[in-house]
Amino acid sequence: LGIVQQNPRILLHNLHNRKGDEPIVRTGLGKSHVKRNNQLQILLQLRDNGPMSRVDLARRLNLTKAAISLLVGDLLERGYLTELGQCIEEEVKPGKRKIALDINADYGCTIGCVIDMAYIHAGAANIKGDVVYQQPSMPMRCTTKKEIFSELLEAILETAEALPQKHILGVGIGVNDDLSVILGKNRSWKWELENFLAQHCPYPVIIESSTRALAMAQFDYKKDAYWENLLFVEVSDALNMAFLMDGEPYLGSHSRAGDLKHCVVDPAGPLCSCGRRGCANALVSVRYVLNNIRTILSREKFPVLYDLVNGDPKQLNYDALVLAAHLGDPGATEIFTKADNLFFDCCVNLIYIFDPDVCYIHGLSIFAQESIDEYNHKLAKLLGKQSCTVFKLSGYGQQQSFLGGCAIAGRKFFYQAVSQLPEEND
Protein backbone atom coordinates (compact mmCIF):
# COMPACT_ATOMS: atom_id res chain seq x y z
CA LEU A 1 0.00 0.00 0.00
CA GLY A 2 3.00 2.29 0.31
CA ILE A 3 3.86 4.54 3.23
CA VAL A 4 2.73 8.11 3.64
CA GLN A 5 5.48 10.21 5.20
CA GLN A 6 4.61 10.71 8.85
CA ASN A 7 2.93 14.09 9.22
CA PRO A 8 4.22 16.30 12.07
CA ARG A 9 0.69 16.63 13.41
CA ILE A 10 0.50 12.85 13.88
CA LEU A 11 3.82 12.81 15.74
CA LEU A 12 2.69 15.64 18.01
CA HIS A 13 -0.70 14.00 18.47
CA ASN A 14 0.87 10.72 19.54
CA LEU A 15 3.21 12.47 21.98
CA HIS A 16 0.34 14.59 23.34
CA ASN A 17 -1.70 11.48 24.12
CA ARG A 18 1.20 9.51 25.61
CA LYS A 19 1.14 9.20 29.40
CA GLY A 20 3.99 10.88 31.22
CA ASP A 21 5.44 7.61 32.57
CA GLU A 22 5.03 5.76 29.30
CA PRO A 23 8.31 5.17 27.42
CA ILE A 24 8.61 5.91 23.72
CA VAL A 25 8.94 2.51 22.07
CA ARG A 26 10.50 2.57 18.62
CA THR A 27 9.53 -0.52 16.66
CA GLY A 28 9.12 -1.37 13.01
CA LEU A 29 5.87 -0.50 11.27
CA GLY A 30 3.62 -3.45 10.53
CA LYS A 31 1.31 -3.57 7.51
CA SER A 32 -1.75 -2.90 9.67
CA HIS A 33 -0.12 0.17 11.23
CA VAL A 34 0.88 1.53 7.82
CA LYS A 35 -2.64 0.98 6.49
CA ARG A 36 -4.32 2.75 9.40
CA ASN A 37 -1.87 5.63 9.29
CA ASN A 38 -2.54 6.07 5.57
CA GLN A 39 -6.28 6.01 6.19
CA LEU A 40 -5.88 8.65 8.88
CA GLN A 41 -3.97 10.79 6.39
CA ILE A 42 -6.86 10.46 3.95
CA LEU A 43 -9.34 11.66 6.58
CA LEU A 44 -7.11 14.59 7.52
CA GLN A 45 -6.77 15.60 3.87
CA LEU A 46 -10.54 15.64 3.50
CA ARG A 47 -10.99 17.48 6.79
CA ASP A 48 -8.47 20.18 5.90
CA ASN A 49 -9.21 20.58 2.18
CA GLY A 50 -12.79 19.44 1.66
CA PRO A 51 -14.16 16.80 -0.73
CA MET A 52 -11.83 15.40 -3.37
CA SER A 53 -11.52 12.40 -5.66
CA ARG A 54 -9.44 9.25 -5.28
CA VAL A 55 -7.08 10.53 -7.98
CA ASP A 56 -6.52 13.78 -6.10
CA LEU A 57 -5.93 11.90 -2.84
CA ALA A 58 -3.39 9.62 -4.53
CA ARG A 59 -1.56 12.65 -5.88
CA ARG A 60 -1.52 14.50 -2.56
CA LEU A 61 -0.40 11.48 -0.54
CA ASN A 62 2.00 10.11 -3.15
CA LEU A 63 0.28 6.73 -3.24
CA THR A 64 -0.81 4.62 -6.19
CA LYS A 65 -4.39 4.73 -7.38
CA ALA A 66 -4.73 1.05 -6.54
CA ALA A 67 -3.57 1.65 -2.94
CA ILE A 68 -5.97 4.57 -2.54
CA SER A 69 -8.84 2.47 -3.87
CA LEU A 70 -8.17 -0.24 -1.27
CA LEU A 71 -7.84 2.25 1.59
CA VAL A 72 -10.91 4.24 0.58
CA GLY A 73 -12.94 1.08 0.03
CA ASP A 74 -12.31 -0.01 3.61
CA LEU A 75 -13.22 3.43 4.98
CA LEU A 76 -16.42 3.49 2.91
CA GLU A 77 -17.37 0.04 4.15
CA ARG A 78 -16.82 1.07 7.77
CA GLY A 79 -18.88 4.22 7.27
CA TYR A 80 -16.13 6.78 7.79
CA LEU A 81 -16.42 8.15 4.25
CA THR A 82 -19.26 8.89 1.85
CA GLU A 83 -19.40 9.41 -1.90
CA LEU A 84 -20.90 12.72 -3.01
CA GLY A 85 -21.11 12.03 -6.72
CA GLN A 86 -19.21 13.32 -9.74
CA CYS A 87 -16.75 16.15 -9.10
CA ILE A 88 -18.34 19.40 -10.23
CA GLU A 89 -15.17 20.94 -11.67
CA GLU A 90 -14.44 17.97 -13.91
CA GLU A 91 -14.77 18.58 -17.65
CA VAL A 92 -17.25 16.38 -19.50
CA LYS A 93 -15.17 13.85 -21.44
CA PRO A 94 -15.15 10.13 -22.16
CA GLY A 95 -13.84 7.74 -19.58
CA LYS A 96 -14.29 7.10 -15.90
CA ARG A 97 -15.69 10.01 -13.93
CA LYS A 98 -14.05 11.38 -10.78
CA ILE A 99 -16.24 10.73 -7.74
CA ALA A 100 -15.88 13.18 -4.87
CA LEU A 101 -15.28 11.67 -1.44
CA ASP A 102 -15.93 13.33 1.89
CA ILE A 103 -15.99 12.51 5.57
CA ASN A 104 -19.33 11.01 6.55
CA ALA A 105 -20.74 13.69 8.85
CA ASP A 106 -23.51 11.31 9.93
CA TYR A 107 -21.13 8.63 11.17
CA GLY A 108 -21.71 9.86 14.71
CA CYS A 109 -21.67 12.90 16.93
CA THR A 110 -19.68 14.14 19.89
CA ILE A 111 -20.86 15.86 23.05
CA GLY A 112 -19.00 18.96 24.11
CA CYS A 113 -18.95 20.78 27.45
CA VAL A 114 -16.97 23.93 28.18
CA ILE A 115 -16.93 25.46 31.64
CA ASP A 116 -15.64 28.81 32.85
CA MET A 117 -16.19 31.03 35.87
CA ALA A 118 -19.54 32.25 34.54
CA TYR A 119 -21.23 29.48 32.55
CA ILE A 120 -21.37 25.84 31.58
CA HIS A 121 -21.92 25.46 27.83
CA ALA A 122 -23.06 22.07 26.52
CA GLY A 123 -24.20 20.68 23.20
CA ALA A 124 -23.45 18.18 20.46
CA ALA A 125 -22.13 18.32 16.90
CA ASN A 126 -21.46 15.91 14.08
CA ILE A 127 -17.96 15.11 12.87
CA LYS A 128 -17.84 18.19 10.63
CA GLY A 129 -18.88 20.56 13.40
CA ASP A 130 -22.53 21.07 12.47
CA VAL A 131 -24.54 21.61 15.65
CA VAL A 132 -27.14 18.88 16.25
CA TYR A 133 -28.17 19.99 19.74
CA GLN A 134 -27.42 22.94 21.98
CA GLN A 135 -28.36 23.46 25.61
CA PRO A 136 -29.03 26.95 26.94
CA SER A 137 -25.89 28.11 28.73
CA MET A 138 -26.18 27.41 32.46
CA PRO A 139 -24.88 29.90 35.04
CA MET A 140 -21.94 28.41 36.92
CA ARG A 141 -22.75 28.60 40.63
CA CYS A 142 -20.42 25.84 41.82
CA THR A 143 -18.01 26.56 44.67
CA THR A 144 -16.42 23.11 45.12
CA LYS A 145 -14.85 20.44 42.93
CA LYS A 146 -17.62 18.01 43.78
CA GLU A 147 -20.29 20.44 42.59
CA ILE A 148 -18.42 21.10 39.34
CA PHE A 149 -18.06 17.38 38.65
CA SER A 150 -21.77 16.81 39.28
CA GLU A 151 -22.82 19.74 37.07
CA LEU A 152 -20.67 18.49 34.21
CA LEU A 153 -22.10 14.98 34.48
CA GLU A 154 -25.64 16.36 34.50
CA ALA A 155 -24.93 18.49 31.41
CA ILE A 156 -23.51 15.45 29.58
CA LEU A 157 -26.44 13.19 30.43
CA GLU A 158 -29.05 15.82 29.54
CA THR A 159 -27.39 16.35 26.16
CA ALA A 160 -27.24 12.60 25.54
CA GLU A 161 -30.96 12.28 26.33
CA ALA A 162 -31.69 14.79 23.56
CA LEU A 163 -29.85 12.56 21.04
CA PRO A 164 -31.73 9.24 21.22
CA GLN A 165 -31.17 8.38 17.56
CA LYS A 166 -27.54 9.49 17.37
CA HIS A 167 -24.36 7.42 17.64
CA ILE A 168 -22.41 9.19 20.39
CA LEU A 169 -18.68 8.70 19.89
CA GLY A 170 -17.50 10.37 23.09
CA VAL A 171 -17.42 13.49 25.22
CA GLY A 172 -14.96 16.38 25.22
CA ILE A 173 -14.67 18.73 28.19
CA GLY A 174 -12.91 22.07 28.02
CA VAL A 175 -12.01 23.63 31.37
CA ASN A 176 -11.06 27.29 31.66
CA ASP A 177 -7.79 27.89 33.50
CA ASP A 178 -9.57 30.43 35.74
CA LEU A 179 -11.25 27.54 37.55
CA SER A 180 -7.96 26.69 39.23
CA VAL A 181 -9.18 28.86 42.14
CA ILE A 182 -11.76 26.13 42.79
CA LEU A 183 -10.19 23.01 41.30
CA GLY A 184 -6.64 23.65 42.53
CA LYS A 185 -3.43 24.49 40.72
CA ASN A 186 -1.73 21.09 40.99
CA ARG A 187 -3.84 19.58 38.19
CA SER A 188 -4.75 16.52 40.25
CA TRP A 189 -8.38 17.52 39.71
CA LYS A 190 -8.10 16.31 36.12
CA TRP A 191 -7.31 12.79 37.27
CA GLU A 192 -10.14 12.99 39.83
CA LEU A 193 -12.62 14.18 37.17
CA GLU A 194 -11.56 11.42 34.78
CA ASN A 195 -12.14 8.80 37.49
CA PHE A 196 -15.48 10.33 38.46
CA LEU A 197 -16.76 10.31 34.89
CA ALA A 198 -15.39 6.82 34.25
CA GLN A 199 -17.66 5.60 37.04
CA HIS A 200 -20.79 7.60 36.17
CA CYS A 201 -20.67 8.51 32.47
CA PRO A 202 -21.46 5.81 29.86
CA TYR A 203 -19.26 7.47 27.21
CA PRO A 204 -15.48 7.86 26.87
CA VAL A 205 -14.24 11.31 27.91
CA ILE A 206 -11.29 13.55 27.09
CA ILE A 207 -10.42 16.71 29.07
CA GLU A 208 -8.47 19.70 27.80
CA SER A 209 -7.92 23.42 28.38
CA SER A 210 -10.96 25.28 27.04
CA THR A 211 -8.75 27.68 25.09
CA ARG A 212 -6.88 24.84 23.33
CA ALA A 213 -10.20 23.10 22.70
CA LEU A 214 -11.65 26.21 21.06
CA ALA A 215 -8.50 26.63 18.98
CA MET A 216 -8.89 23.06 17.70
CA ALA A 217 -12.55 23.74 16.89
CA GLN A 218 -11.47 26.80 14.93
CA PHE A 219 -8.99 24.65 12.99
CA ASP A 220 -11.11 21.51 12.49
CA TYR A 221 -14.45 23.18 11.78
CA LYS A 222 -12.95 26.03 9.70
CA LYS A 223 -15.51 28.08 7.84
CA ASP A 224 -13.19 30.47 5.99
CA ALA A 225 -9.78 29.09 4.98
CA TYR A 226 -7.09 26.58 5.88
CA TRP A 227 -4.32 27.83 8.16
CA GLU A 228 -1.37 25.65 9.14
CA ASN A 229 -0.22 27.78 12.09
CA LEU A 230 -2.96 29.33 14.16
CA LEU A 231 -2.83 31.57 17.23
CA PHE A 232 -5.97 31.68 19.35
CA VAL A 233 -6.39 34.29 22.09
CA GLU A 234 -9.35 34.11 24.47
CA VAL A 235 -10.52 37.30 26.16
CA SER A 236 -12.49 36.42 29.27
CA ASP A 237 -12.11 36.95 33.02
CA ALA A 238 -8.44 36.21 32.36
CA LEU A 239 -6.36 36.04 29.18
CA ASN A 240 -5.47 32.66 27.70
CA MET A 241 -3.76 31.63 24.50
CA ALA A 242 -3.24 28.51 22.40
CA PHE A 243 -0.90 28.00 19.45
CA LEU A 244 -1.55 25.28 16.87
CA MET A 245 1.43 24.23 14.79
CA ASP A 246 0.28 22.36 11.69
CA GLY A 247 -3.03 21.81 13.45
CA GLU A 248 -1.69 20.40 16.71
CA PRO A 249 -1.43 22.38 19.98
CA TYR A 250 1.99 23.33 21.24
CA LEU A 251 1.96 22.44 24.94
CA GLY A 252 5.45 23.23 26.16
CA SER A 253 7.47 21.03 28.51
CA HIS A 254 4.96 21.22 31.37
CA SER A 255 1.71 21.92 29.47
CA ARG A 256 1.88 25.58 30.51
CA ALA A 257 2.27 27.08 27.04
CA GLY A 258 -0.35 29.76 26.54
CA ASP A 259 -0.42 31.16 30.07
CA LEU A 260 -0.76 34.64 28.65
CA LYS A 261 -2.25 36.15 31.78
CA HIS A 262 1.14 36.18 33.53
CA CYS A 263 3.07 37.94 30.77
CA VAL A 264 4.35 41.26 32.09
CA VAL A 265 3.00 44.22 30.09
CA ASP A 266 3.82 47.03 32.54
CA PRO A 267 6.72 46.48 34.99
CA ALA A 268 5.48 49.42 37.05
CA GLY A 269 1.94 48.07 37.21
CA PRO A 270 0.05 46.61 40.17
CA LEU A 271 1.04 43.41 41.96
CA CYS A 272 -0.37 40.24 40.41
CA SER A 273 -1.41 37.09 42.27
CA CYS A 274 1.68 35.32 40.83
CA GLY A 275 3.96 37.71 42.75
CA ARG A 276 5.15 39.83 39.83
CA ARG A 277 4.06 43.33 38.86
CA GLY A 278 2.19 44.42 35.79
CA CYS A 279 0.97 41.05 34.50
CA ALA A 280 -1.65 41.10 31.77
CA ASN A 281 -4.05 39.46 34.20
CA ALA A 282 -3.78 42.45 36.54
CA LEU A 283 -4.12 45.11 33.85
CA VAL A 284 -6.02 43.76 30.87
CA SER A 285 -8.31 40.95 32.04
CA VAL A 286 -12.02 41.69 32.08
CA ARG A 287 -12.34 40.80 35.74
CA TYR A 288 -9.59 43.20 36.81
CA VAL A 289 -10.86 46.12 34.74
CA LEU A 290 -14.47 45.76 35.90
CA ASN A 291 -13.57 45.24 39.56
CA ASN A 292 -11.54 48.45 39.54
CA ILE A 293 -14.36 50.43 37.95
CA ARG A 294 -16.89 49.10 40.47
CA THR A 295 -14.91 50.63 43.34
CA ILE A 296 -14.94 54.12 41.79
CA LEU A 297 -18.19 54.11 39.79
CA SER A 298 -19.95 57.48 39.99
CA ARG A 299 -21.85 59.82 37.68
CA GLU A 300 -19.05 62.39 37.95
CA LYS A 301 -16.30 60.04 36.71
CA PHE A 302 -18.42 57.88 34.37
CA PRO A 303 -21.45 59.93 33.28
CA VAL A 304 -22.50 57.69 30.39
CA LEU A 305 -21.53 54.35 31.94
CA TYR A 306 -23.30 55.24 35.20
CA ASP A 307 -26.61 55.69 33.37
CA LEU A 308 -26.12 52.55 31.25
CA VAL A 309 -25.94 50.40 34.40
CA ASN A 310 -28.54 52.44 36.32
CA GLY A 311 -25.90 53.36 38.88
CA ASP A 312 -25.67 49.71 40.01
CA PRO A 313 -22.10 48.30 40.04
CA LYS A 314 -23.56 44.77 39.92
CA GLN A 315 -24.96 45.46 36.45
CA LEU A 316 -21.57 46.49 35.10
CA ASN A 317 -20.22 44.28 32.31
CA TYR A 318 -17.58 44.61 29.61
CA ASP A 319 -20.08 45.39 26.84
CA ALA A 320 -21.39 48.33 28.85
CA LEU A 321 -17.83 49.63 29.31
CA VAL A 322 -17.06 49.36 25.58
CA LEU A 323 -20.35 51.01 24.61
CA ALA A 324 -19.76 53.85 27.08
CA ALA A 325 -16.28 54.42 25.66
CA HIS A 326 -17.66 54.57 22.11
CA LEU A 327 -20.30 57.05 23.29
CA GLY A 328 -17.60 59.37 24.63
CA ASP A 329 -17.62 58.67 28.37
CA PRO A 330 -14.25 60.17 29.46
CA GLY A 331 -13.62 57.74 32.33
CA ALA A 332 -14.64 54.67 30.34
CA THR A 333 -12.62 55.84 27.33
CA GLU A 334 -9.45 56.23 29.39
CA ILE A 335 -9.72 52.83 31.06
CA PHE A 336 -10.82 50.96 27.94
CA THR A 337 -8.17 52.55 25.72
CA LYS A 338 -5.37 51.67 28.15
CA ALA A 339 -6.54 48.05 28.51
CA ASP A 340 -7.08 47.72 24.75
CA ASN A 341 -3.61 49.04 23.91
CA LEU A 342 -1.97 46.68 26.41
CA PHE A 343 -3.95 43.76 25.00
CA PHE A 344 -2.81 44.67 21.48
CA ASP A 345 0.80 44.79 22.70
CA CYS A 346 0.39 41.28 24.18
CA CYS A 347 -0.92 39.95 20.88
CA VAL A 348 1.83 41.64 18.86
CA ASN A 349 4.46 40.03 21.10
CA LEU A 350 2.88 36.64 20.45
CA ILE A 351 2.79 37.28 16.71
CA TYR A 352 6.49 38.22 16.74
CA ILE A 353 7.29 35.00 18.65
CA PHE A 354 5.09 32.48 16.81
CA ASP A 355 4.67 34.13 13.38
CA PRO A 356 1.21 32.57 12.82
CA ASP A 357 -0.83 32.62 9.62
CA VAL A 358 -3.73 34.04 11.60
CA CYS A 359 -4.51 35.23 15.12
CA TYR A 360 -8.10 34.55 16.17
CA ILE A 361 -9.57 36.63 18.97
CA HIS A 362 -12.35 34.97 20.96
CA GLY A 363 -14.59 36.71 23.47
CA LEU A 364 -15.01 40.16 21.91
CA SER A 365 -18.65 41.04 21.34
CA ILE A 366 -19.86 44.60 20.96
CA PHE A 367 -17.96 46.58 18.31
CA ALA A 368 -15.77 43.51 17.83
CA GLN A 369 -15.15 43.92 14.10
CA GLU A 370 -14.15 47.56 14.59
CA SER A 371 -11.53 46.44 17.11
CA ILE A 372 -10.19 43.76 14.75
CA ASP A 373 -9.92 46.26 11.89
CA GLU A 374 -8.01 48.67 14.13
CA TYR A 375 -5.64 45.90 15.29
CA ASN A 376 -4.87 44.94 11.70
CA HIS A 377 -4.31 48.57 10.73
CA LYS A 378 -1.81 49.05 13.56
CA LEU A 379 -0.12 45.71 12.90
CA ALA A 380 0.37 46.54 9.21
CA LYS A 381 2.30 49.64 10.25
CA LEU A 382 4.61 47.45 12.33
CA LEU A 383 5.06 44.41 10.11
CA GLY A 384 4.02 45.52 6.64
CA LYS A 385 1.02 45.05 4.38
CA GLN A 386 1.31 41.25 4.46
CA SER A 387 0.11 41.42 8.07
CA CYS A 388 -2.99 43.53 7.43
CA THR A 389 -5.35 40.56 7.87
CA VAL A 390 -3.61 38.54 10.59
CA PHE A 391 -6.22 39.35 13.23
CA LYS A 392 -9.61 37.71 12.78
CA LEU A 393 -12.66 37.20 14.94
CA SER A 394 -13.25 33.70 16.23
CA GLY A 395 -16.19 32.11 14.46
CA TYR A 396 -17.81 31.19 17.76
CA GLY A 397 -19.78 33.19 20.26
CA GLN A 398 -19.87 32.31 23.94
CA GLN A 399 -23.04 30.27 23.36
CA GLN A 400 -21.16 28.00 20.93
CA SER A 401 -18.13 27.42 23.13
CA PHE A 402 -19.20 23.81 23.62
CA LEU A 403 -17.91 23.14 20.08
CA GLY A 404 -14.43 23.20 21.58
CA GLY A 405 -15.35 20.08 23.53
CA CYS A 406 -16.86 18.51 20.42
CA ALA A 407 -13.63 19.13 18.49
CA ILE A 408 -11.30 17.47 20.99
CA ALA A 409 -13.70 14.52 21.27
CA GLY A 410 -13.80 14.22 17.48
CA ARG A 411 -10.01 14.14 17.29
CA LYS A 412 -9.79 11.48 19.99
CA PHE A 413 -12.76 9.24 19.22
CA PHE A 414 -13.03 9.59 15.44
CA TYR A 415 -9.69 10.46 13.82
CA GLN A 416 -7.38 8.80 16.32
CA ALA A 417 -9.77 5.84 16.57
CA VAL A 418 -9.33 5.22 12.85
CA SER A 419 -5.58 4.82 13.30
CA GLN A 420 -6.23 2.20 16.00
CA LEU A 421 -8.85 0.09 14.23
CA PRO A 422 -8.11 -3.65 14.31
CA GLU A 423 -8.12 -5.71 11.17
CA GLU A 424 -11.26 -7.79 10.73
CA ASN A 425 -9.20 -10.99 10.82
CA ASP A 426 -7.10 -9.93 13.87
Side-chain angles (χ1 to χ4, degrees):
L1 293 177
I3 300 176
V4 177
Q5 185 176 4
Q6 188 79 320
N7 191 302
R9 79 179 63 172
I10 308 301
L11 295 173
L12 289 170
H13 182 82
N14 292 338
L15 291 174
H16 173 55
N17 286 279
R18 185 174 61 87
K19 296 180 180 179
D21 57 350
E22 186 177 300
I24 300 177
V25 180
R26 294 178 172 84
T27 59
L29 298 179
K31 291 182 179 179
S32 178
H33 179 92
V34 172
K35 176 182 178 181
R36 295 309 177 205
N37 181 63
N38 288 348
Q39 288 179 324
L40 175 57
Q41 297 288 347
I42 289 173
L43 292 177
L44 292 176
Q45 283 290 331
L46 295 173
R47 183 194 72 181
D48 295 344
N49 301 291
M52 64 181 70
S53 68
R54 292 169 174 81
V55 173
D56 294 330
L57 284 169
R59 186 182 302 113
R60 283 178 176 269
L61 298 177
N62 197 28
L63 292 173
T64 66
K65 295 178 183 178
I68 284 291
S69 294
L70 289 173
L71 295 167
V72 166
D74 185 55
L75 289 172
L76 285 168
E77 185 177 344
R78 293 176 183 266
Y80 283 86
L81 295 183
T82 185
E83 292 184 330
L84 301 181
Q86 183 176 331
C87 293
I88 298 175
E89 71 276 8
E90 184 182 12
E91 297 180 2
V92 178
K93 56 184 179 180
K96 193 172 182 179
R97 298 284 184 257
K98 287 184 180 180
I99 303 299
L101 299 165
D102 199 6
I103 291 171
N104 182 10
D106 296 325
Y107 178 83
C109 66
T110 56
I111 293 175
C113 291
V114 168
I115 179 172
D116 55 35
M117 293 295 289
Y119 291 98
I120 298 175
H121 311 278
N126 64 22
I127 297 303
K128 302 191 77 172
D130 302 318
V131 176
V132 296
Y133 175 75
Q134 180 174 344
Q135 282 193 37
S137 296
M138 299 169 286
M140 215 290 282
R141 300 189 178 94
C142 305
T143 57
T144 66
K145 279 193 294 187
K146 184 177 180 181
E147 290 175 342
I148 291 176
F149 293 179
S150 297
E151 285 292 321
L152 284 172
L153 177 62
E154 183 177 348
I156 292 168
L157 297 179
E158 286 182 2
T159 302
E161 287 178 6
L163 307 167
Q165 306 301 320
K166 300 291 185 180
H167 174 209
I168 299 174
L169 301 175
V171 179
I173 297 176
V175 181
N176 193 286
D177 292 343
D178 297 352
L179 285 170
S180 61
V181 297
I182 300 175
L183 296 172
K185 296 182 179 180
N186 59 6
R187 304 293 293 178
S188 65
W189 61 264
K190 185 177 180 180
W191 177 81
E192 295 173 20
L193 179 56
E194 288 173 342
N195 283 344
F196 173 81
L197 293 175
Q199 297 176 28
H200 299 94
C201 178
Y203 311 105
V205 175
I206 181 172
I207 303 168
E208 181 57 275
S209 152
S210 62
T211 307
R212 291 193 193 117
L214 284 166
M216 286 185 256
Q218 191 74 63
F219 186 92
D220 294 354
Y221 304 151
K222 62 189 72 62
K223 304 299 182 184
D224 47 7
Y226 172 68
W227 309 105
E228 291 187 351
N229 300 313
L230 181 153
L231 189 63
F232 191 93
V233 181
E234 184 176 13
V235 185
S236 59
D237 281 349
L239 297 178
N240 295 298
M241 178 274 288
F243 177 64
L244 301 191
M245 183 173 60
D246 197 24
E248 286 298 325
Y250 174 74
L251 304 179
S253 299
H254 306 93
S255 296
R256 289 199 296 263
D259 197 1
L260 179 60
K261 55 184 171 289
H262 293 303
C263 291
V264 174
V265 293
D266 182 2
L271 190 66
C272 178
S273 59
C274 71
R276 298 193 298 171
R277 287 193 173 275
C279 290
N281 199 43
L283 287 168
V284 184
S285 69
V286 173
R287 185 191 310 154
Y288 172 86
V289 172
L290 295 183
N291 284 344
N292 276 279
I293 294 177
R294 289 188 181 102
T295 62
I296 57 175
L297 182 64
S298 67
R299 179 171 275 116
E300 290 72 25
K301 293 183 177 181
F302 303 93
V304 178
L305 182 60
Y306 188 87
D307 289 338
L308 285 176
V309 300
N310 300 313
D312 183 2
K314 294 181 180 179
Q315 294 184 29
L316 181 63
N317 56 53
Y318 202 67
D319 283 352
L321 171 65
V322 177
L323 178 58
H326 277 259
L327 292 175
D329 186 305
T333 300
E334 180 183 357
I335 290 176
F336 170 75
T337 301
K338 180 179 179 181
D340 192 54
N341 287 337
L342 289 173
F343 173 69
F344 174 76
D345 290 340
C346 284
C347 292
V348 170
N349 288 337
L350 294 174
I351 289 170
Y352 269 113
I353 294 170
F354 292 106
D355 191 24
D357 295 307
V358 61
C359 176
Y360 282 103
I361 307 296
H362 177 76
L364 298 180
S365 51
I366 188 170
F367 301 115
Q369 190 56 54
E370 287 89 338
S371 296
I372 294 297
D373 292 342
E374 179 62 22
Y375 293 163
N376 281 320
H377 178 70
K378 292 194 293 185
L379 187 64
K381 290 184 176 180
L382 293 172
L383 301 181
K385 292 183 179 180
Q386 75 275 11
S387 301
C388 65
T389 57
V390 170
F391 285 104
K392 291 181 181 292
L393 280 177
S394 162
Y396 307 109
Q398 293 296 97
Q399 298 285 333
Q400 295 177 305
S401 293
F402 70 89
L403 285 170
C406 294
I408 58 174
R411 288 189 174 210
K412 177 72 173 179
F413 306 118
F414 180 76
Y415 293 102
Q416 186 180 353
V418 170
S419 67
Q420 298 172 347
L421 282 173
E423 290 294 334
E424 293 182 354
N425 59 354
D426 283 354

